[in-house]
């Protein structure tokens, strides 16, 4: 979204209680700025509404957000206040100018109007006005408030400030996450927030976490490395009696240590590259209703006054759940290249569409002192100093969005430098050709392809049966849609490709070849067993690609290792991923990570020296990362008494052992056995939501369920269902190895009924818990 500015300059209040307001900048009347007088409605001059909103948005210590009471008349009062604020501010000539500005941009869906409320914070007469929740602004003629429309975000700009005109640097972005958690009575789920940050910023940022943030540790961290984004997750507070605000850090003993807004702001002045500060803390964005000692008493205002270009803060209390959800949406949008205003709006929209959090969308505040901030994108082929050419935005029939899958696959990906370098050398020497990556399930083939996609920014299609993304029709349409959008081709190409014609894909590739300078990668990750069984030299043609690819096109295909390779050819490179040198290095690295777990370390110490056990585990894995990850859940628990030489061999052996436990109805560990089976038997087109799991299982501890889902990351994919299910997140078994195993067991005549029996047993136990819970 590209934004034009609509700047409202608010001047000192006159003796009659009127605020003169001038449109300092707008698309409609840049040479004749209109002005008007604003008189606030009497009921908005008190702090009653603000205080009620703050009380409604529970503190971050709230654990059971389903217990938040309904807002009652607060929703009506807030909506009415939004109407009153809008009609007070947008009157007369300003209203006409605003409507004209919107009309000028209405023909372009990628243009928006940034509403900028600008005032001098030193002016004591403006404090009551700045204290009001202007984020509620709501045109009575429109269904939604302005801040819930990406076309009309609201930002605040205060003066005077130390001007630092700078934007985000070249990637990767350096993020410093401050994670204090000193109050045992108000523990926060900071680990979940960090997980969401890492998933959202995977591939674009390096995140350093300050887990015991004393003032001294923060001071050292700001000097040790360049910091572009600072994210504070923790507790904050504001005292209207003292006119001061604080954030809670820790001391060397792990106890609370408050730091005032001005001290925190002075500390951050030591970070010359700092562009964005996100204060995910209660009352960190509040603006005092009266100036007592410091006009910049709020933490957010104190930061922008000392030169931070952009600050996102919270003007009310915010629940822990809402803080995590907002963080996820904000950084996901930034990673996609959206400007900061639009990213904040995406966060608001997610909260507004989430039951029990719906009024917390009013809490975030954006202070912005610069033009729109967007992350740059880097073309890895050209080096860190060059920017990637961005595709021209097009309104198409929604090409499949694999972004959640890419994040999941690259969140903990391992270095595959040698493999990627060999692929790039092949492409550079031949200018066109086919690369086939084969490997056993769980060897990391899809992660390698996802790394290639993230680094090259290429078009791609991942067949994910658990989410209903498979088959030749979806494959051709998905690739065609991405190619048309990326290279701004006529939409007529897309219309023909909807029919799934391979010939149309060839026509699009030829057009792409004529328009590109350099190379264009096309990545396809398959689960099609029929195609996978053919020789490598025939796979591309069976997918609909021409026998001779146009110049500049490199097609990279990943598939199971179900047929012998035909060997490399003049335009073909065939790689067995599980036999690459990178594979051994990756296995050693993964084993080192697993050895840090207390249960794994105890098992290794019990059954032999760590070094010999690691070597034996690597051999038993048959080069499958997934085997190691799954085994890590059971070592020291279900397999604590099993000698090393009797562990299941390879992924299939491990899954068979797990299957036998469920089939024989042995005592089940709900988190690591019952839950994945439950997800696996659900329909692929309907991923399980957290609320659905709670209702079926009868377990009210959502934190436990989330931890279980997080621990099953190799098996379970997570993606937003915002557009169809009110902002909920869906969970489903995604790894084809697990699905193939379950489907094979179901079709095995010797176990034809075993799958159904296990499924019914799981459901019976879960429903029994639900009935017992309802009776109690």
């Amino acid at each position: 979204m590209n934004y034009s500015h609509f700047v409202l300059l608010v001047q000192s209040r006159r003796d009659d209680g009127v605020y003169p307001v001038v449109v300092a900048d707008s698309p409609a009347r840049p040479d004749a700025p209109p002005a008007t007088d604003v008189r606030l409605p009497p009921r908005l001059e008190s702090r009653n509404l603000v205080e009620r909103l703050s009380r409604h948005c529970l503190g971050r210590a709230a654990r059971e957000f389903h217990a938040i009471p309904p807002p009652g008349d607060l929703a009506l009062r807030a909506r009415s206040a939004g109407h009153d604020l809008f009609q007070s501010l947008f009157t007369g000539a300003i209203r006409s100018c605003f409507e004209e500005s919107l009309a000028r941009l209405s023909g372009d869906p990628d243009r928006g109007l940034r509403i900028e409320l600008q005032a001098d914070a030193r002016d004591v007469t403006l404090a009551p006005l700045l204290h009001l929740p202007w984020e509620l602004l709501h045109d009575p003629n429109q269904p939604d408030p302005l801040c819930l429309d990406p076309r009309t975000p609201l930002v605040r700009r205060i003066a005077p400030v130390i001007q630092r005109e700078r934007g985000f640097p070249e990637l990767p972005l350096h993020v410093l996450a401050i994670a204090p958690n000193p109050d045992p009575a108000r523990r926060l789920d900071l680990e979940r927030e960090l997980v969401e940050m890492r998933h959202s910023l995977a591939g674009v940022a390096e995140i350093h976490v300050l887990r015991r943030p004393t003032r001294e540790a923060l001071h050292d961290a700001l000097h040790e490395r360049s910091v572009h984004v600072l994210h504070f997750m923790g507790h904050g507070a504001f005292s209207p009696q003292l006119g001061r605000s604080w954030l809670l850090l820790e001391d060397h003993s792990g106890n609370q240590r408050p730091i005032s807004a001005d001290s925190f702001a002075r500390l951050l002045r030591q970070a010359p590259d700092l562009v964005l500060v996100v204060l995910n803390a209660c009352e960190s964005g509040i603006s005092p209703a009266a100036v007592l000692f410091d006009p910049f008493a709020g933490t957010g205002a104190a930061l922008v006054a000392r030169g931070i270009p952009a600050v996102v803060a919270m003007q009310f209390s915010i629940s822990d759940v809402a803080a995590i959800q907002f963080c996820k949406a904000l950084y996901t949008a930034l990673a996609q290249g959206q400007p900061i205003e639009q990213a904040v709006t995406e966060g608001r929209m997610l909260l507004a569409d989430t039951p029990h959090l719906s009024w917390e969308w009013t809490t975030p505040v954006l202070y912005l002192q610069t033009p729109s901030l967007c992350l740059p994108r880097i073309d890895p082929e050209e080096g860190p100093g060059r920017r990637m050419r961005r595709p021209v935005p097009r309104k198409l029939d929604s090409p499949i969005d694999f972004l959640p899958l890419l994040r999941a696959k690259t969140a903990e990906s391992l270095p595959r430098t040698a493999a990627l370098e060999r692929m790039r050398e092949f492409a550079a020497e031949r200018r066109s050709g086919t690369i086939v990556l084969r490997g056993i399930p769980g060897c990391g083939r899809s992660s390698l392809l996802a790394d290639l996609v993230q680094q090259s920014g290429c078009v791609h299609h991942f067949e994910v049966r658990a989410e209903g993304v498979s088959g030749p029709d979806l494959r051709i349409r998905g690739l065609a849609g991405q190619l048309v959008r990326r290279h701004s081709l006529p939409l007529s190409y897309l219309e023909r490709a909807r029919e799934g014609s391979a010939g149309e894909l060839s026509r699009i590739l030829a057009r792409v070849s004529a328009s590109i300078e350099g190379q264009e990668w096309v990545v396809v990750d398959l689960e099609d067993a029929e195609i996978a069984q053919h020789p490598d030299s025939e796979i591309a043609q069976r997918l609909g690609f021409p026998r001779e690819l146009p110049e500049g096109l490199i097609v990279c295909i990943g598939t199971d290792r179900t047929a012998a390779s035909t060997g490399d050819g003049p335009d073909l490179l065939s790689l067995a991923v599980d036999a690459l040198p990178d594979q051994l290095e990756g296995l050693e690295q993964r084993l080192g990570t697993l050895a840090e777990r207390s249960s794994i370390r105890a098992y290794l110490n019990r059954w032999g020296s760590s070094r010999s056990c690691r070597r034996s585990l690597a051999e038993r894995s048959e080069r499958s990362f997934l085997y190691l990850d799954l085994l890590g859940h059971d070592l020291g628990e279900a397999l604590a008494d099993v000698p090393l030489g009797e562990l299941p061999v390879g992924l299939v052996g491990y899954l068979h052992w797990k299957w036998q436990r469920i089939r024989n109805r042995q005592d089940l560990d709900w988190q690591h056995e019952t839950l994945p089976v439950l997800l696996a038997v659900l329909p692929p087109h309907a991923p399980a939501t957290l609320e659905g799991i709670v209702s079926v299982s009868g377990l009210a501890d959502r934190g436990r369920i989330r931890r279980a889902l997080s621990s099953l990351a190799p098996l379970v994919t997570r993606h937003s269902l915002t557009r169809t299910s009110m902002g909920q997140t869906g969970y489903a078994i995604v790894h084809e190895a697990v699905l193939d195993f379950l489907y094979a067991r179901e079709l095995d005549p010797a176990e034809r009924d075993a799958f159904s029996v296990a499924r019914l047993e799981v459901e019976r136990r879960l429903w029994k818990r639900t009935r017992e819970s309802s009776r109690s």
Side-chain angles (χ1 to χ4, degrees):
M1 187 76 70
N2 297 316
Y3 288 107
S4 298
H5 295 185
F6 190 84
V7 181
L8 294 166
L9 179 60
V10 184
Q11 300 174 346
S12 299
R13 184 178 61 190
R14 299 199 303 257
D15 293 338
D16 59 357
V18 170
Y19 295 90
V21 178
V22 177
V23 179
D25 188 15
S26 73
R29 305 178 189 177
D31 299 327
T36 191
D37 291 339
V38 172
R39 185 186 300 273
L40 296 179
R43 59 185 168 187
L44 286 176
E45 292 179 348
S46 70
R47 302 206 316 266
N48 180 265
L49 176 64
V50 174
E51 290 174 350
R52 289 197 62 189
L53 281 171
S54 186
R55 288 197 302 270
H56 173 65
C57 298
L58 299 180
R60 293 199 65 187
R63 300 296 184 96
E64 300 293 338
F65 70 87
H66 66 284
I68 293 178
D73 70 329
L74 181 59
L76 296 177
R77 288 175 59 85
R79 178 181 289 269
S80 176
H83 292 168
D84 291 341
L85 286 169
F86 182 88
Q87 292 170 335
S88 298
L89 185 60
F90 291 90
T91 61
I94 290 183
R95 175 68 176 267
S96 300
C97 183
F98 177 68
E99 293 177 347
E100 290 176 21
S101 298
L102 285 177
R104 292 196 178 194
L105 305 177
S106 61
D108 189 345
D110 298 313
R111 295 286 303 280
L113 189 66
R114 186 177 89 177
I115 304 167
E116 186 174 304
L117 195 63
Q118 184 171 331
D120 189 338
R122 298 171 301 178
D123 190 335
V124 296
T125 68
L126 295 179
L129 182 140
L130 294 178
H131 178 67
L132 292 172
W134 291 99
E135 287 67 24
L136 287 172
L137 279 170
H138 191 168
D139 184 348
N141 297 321
Q142 299 298 326
D144 293 316
L146 298 182
C147 281
L148 289 182
D149 187 341
R151 298 173 302 167
T152 54
L154 173 73
V155 305
R156 299 190 182 212
R157 184 165 184 169
I158 60 175
V161 298
I162 300 173
Q163 292 294 337
R164 291 187 186 179
E165 291 291 338
R166 62 172 180 267
F168 287 119
E170 299 294 338
L171 301 182
L173 206 62
H174 296 166
V175 179
L176 176 62
I178 306 176
N181 214 356
D183 189 347
R186 298 188 296 162
R187 285 290 178 184
L188 308 176
D189 193 359
L190 300 187
E191 290 304 317
R192 168 53 57 189
E193 192 163 340
L194 288 170
V195 167
E196 297 295 355
M197 283 185 64
R198 290 192 175 100
H199 285 175
S200 299
L201 294 174
V204 300
E206 297 174 356
I207 301 176
H208 175 72
V209 182
L210 201 59
R211 294 186 181 276
R212 185 56 65 83
T214 64
R215 187 189 185 284
E216 294 75 14
L218 177 56
H219 175 275
D220 294 342
L222 294 173
H223 280 83
E224 289 171 358
R225 57 182 55 83
S226 177
V227 177
H228 306 135
V229 176
L230 185 139
H231 181 92
F232 181 91
M233 54 185 86
H235 294 295
F238 176 81
S239 171
Q241 291 79 17
L242 300 177
R244 301 188 67 187
S245 57
W246 299 269
L247 298 174
L248 283 188
L249 297 181
E250 298 183 18
D251 62 17
H252 293 288
S253 300
N255 299 317
Q256 301 180 27
R257 179 177 176 178
I259 183 171
S260 64
D262 52 353
S263 296
F264 187 70
R266 284 194 294 269
L267 197 59
L268 296 195
R269 290 181 66 177
Q270 303 173 65
D273 300 323
L274 191 57
V275 178
L276 170 64
V277 174
V278 178
L279 301 174
N280 221 359
C282 296
E283 299 182 338
S284 55
I286 197 169
S287 183
V291 175
L292 300 180
F293 306 105
D294 183 2
F296 304 102
T299 307
L303 294 178
V304 295
R306 289 167 174 82
I308 306 299
V311 176
V312 179
M314 305 298 158
Q315 63 180 326
F316 310 131
S317 296
I318 184 168
S319 68
D320 202 16
V321 178
I324 295 171
Q325 293 288 82
F326 179 79
C327 165
K328 175 176 65 175
L330 174 75
Y331 289 119
T332 297
L334 281 178
Q336 293 172 346
Q338 297 177 9
I340 183 65
E341 307 97 309
Q342 188 175 358
V344 172
T345 304
E346 293 292 335
R348 295 187 196 278
M349 293 167 63
L350 179 58
L351 295 181
D353 293 337
T354 303
H356 312 294
L357 303 178
S358 57
W359 273 105
E360 296 202 54
W361 72 264
T362 64
T363 303
V365 174
L366 173 60
Y367 291 95
L368 192 59
Q369 304 297 116
T370 67
S372 294
L373 291 171
C374 297
L375 289 183
R377 297 185 182 180
I378 294 177
D379 185 348
E381 300 290 341
E382 297 184 354
R386 301 288 297 276
R387 294 198 174 189
M388 177 184 289
R389 180 183 63 186
R390 296 189 181 185
V392 178
R394 306 281 287 185
K395 291 295 181 182
L396 300 180
D397 185 18
S398 2
I400 301 170
D401 180 16
F402 292 100
L403 189 59
L405 176 66
L406 294 177
R407 289 202 193 98
K409 290 293 185 182
T410 58
E412 297 181 359
S413 60
L414 299 168
R416 300 292 185 87
T417 307
L420 291 171
E421 187 62 30
R422 186 172 177 186
M423 295 162 65
R424 290 198 176 94
E425 288 177 357
F426 170 86
E429 292 173 359
R430 287 163 178 78
R431 290 285 300 151
S432 67
T434 303
I435 301 173
V436 177
L437 300 180
R438 289 188 180 273
I440 60 174
C443 71
R445 183 198 71 231
S446 296
S447 296
L448 177 58
L449 291 173
D451 280 332
L452 178 63
V453 171
Q454 292 281 53
Q455 295 180 26
S456 302
C458 53
V459 301
H460 51 276
H461 178 91
F462 285 77
E463 299 208 353
V464 190
R465 183 169 53 222
E467 298 184 14
V469 183
S470 62
D473 291 344
L474 278 178
R475 185 186 309 135
I476 291 177
R477 289 204 303 269
L479 290 173
Q482 290 187 55
L483 287 165
V484 167
R485 179 171 61 182
R486 181 179 178 85
H487 297 283
S488 302
L489 303 182
L491 296 184
S492 58
Y493 283 98
L494 185 63
E495 296 292 338
R496 298 190 188 100
R498 285 179 183 152
E499 302 174 0
S501 169
E504 294 303 326
L505 181 59
S506 298
R507 292 181 65 245
I508 294 176
L509 293 175
R511 179 68 179 269
V512 169
S513 174
S515 64
I516 63 174
E517 297 179 2
Q519 293 176 333
E520 174 71 19
W521 290 76
V522 180
V523 169
V524 185
D525 192 27
L526 289 176
E527 294 180 16
D528 193 323
E530 181 180 350
I531 292 179
Q533 292 172 357
H534 286 82
D536 294 345
S537 57
E538 300 178 6
I539 289 181
Q541 287 72 55
R542 291 188 172 272
L543 293 180
F545 292 95
R547 184 166 296 278
E548 294 185 4
L549 289 169
E551 183 176 355
L553 271 297
I554 304 297
V555 176
C556 187
I557 303 168
T559 184
D560 288 348
R561 192 177 182 181
T562 55
S565 170
T566 54
D568 297 347
D571 299 315
L572 172 68
L573 173 64
S574 181
L575 294 176
V577 175
D578 46 5
L580 292 171
D582 302 75
Q583 192 75 5
L584 296 176
E585 298 174 7
L587 284 169
E588 293 178 3
Q589 180 175 335
R590 182 62 56 84
L591 284 170
T593 302
L594 290 175
E596 296 176 359
R597 302 181 186 176
S598 59
S599 60
I600 307 300
R601 189 163 56 247
Y603 183 88
L604 295 177
N605 292 335
R606 176 178 180 181
W607 294 104
S609 68
S610 297
R611 185 172 183 180
S612 61
C613 283
R614 291 182 191 180
R615 186 182 305 113
S616 180
L617 282 175
E619 294 172 354
R620 300 189 77 79
S621 72
E622 295 184 341
R623 304 203 175 199
S624 170
F625 291 108
L626 186 55
Y627 172 89
L628 296 177
D629 289 330
L630 295 176
L631 195 64
H633 293 307
D634 292 304
L635 287 180
E637 298 173 4
L639 293 171
D641 298 324
V642 179
L644 193 65
E646 297 180 12
L647 291 176
V649 178
L651 181 60
V652 173
Y654 176 84
L655 293 174
H656 182 73
W657 171 81
K658 182 82 80 173
W659 173 259
Q660 289 296 329
R661 282 177 56 81
I662 297 176
R663 180 188 177 188
N664 296 334
R665 308 181 189 182
Q666 298 177 15
D667 292 337
L668 301 180
D669 174 10
W670 191 89
Q671 294 186 41
H672 295 142
E673 293 181 17
T674 308
L675 181 58
V677 172
L678 172 64
L679 294 175
V681 300
L682 289 172
H685 63 276
T689 63
L690 182 62
E691 292 299 326
I693 296 173
V694 169
S695 66
V696 172
S697 68
L699 296 179
D701 189 348
R702 287 168 169 77
R704 179 189 176 194
I705 297 175
R706 288 195 191 92
R707 288 191 295 274
L709 292 167
S710 177
S711 69
L712 291 165
L715 297 177
V716 176
T717 184
R718 174 183 54 192
H719 57 284
S720 174
L721 301 176
T722 302
R723 297 189 181 278
T724 58
S725 299
M726 296 294 291
Q728 298 184 49
T729 297
Y731 300 88
I733 292 290
V734 66
H735 204 285
E736 59 270 22
V738 180
L739 293 167
D740 288 341
F741 181 84
L742 291 174
Y743 293 156
R745 298 284 75 74
E746 186 178 12
L747 297 176
D748 188 338
E751 296 184 329
R752 185 177 299 276
D753 298 328
F755 185 82
S756 299
V757 170
R759 171 179 174 175
L760 292 174
E761 177 66 15
V762 169
E763 292 180 349
R764 184 186 66 80
R765 294 189 181 195
L766 295 178
W767 281 113
K768 181 180 178 181
R769 292 183 187 180
T770 303
R771 289 195 299 271
E772 291 174 350
S773 175
S774 62
R775 284 196 296 267
S776 61

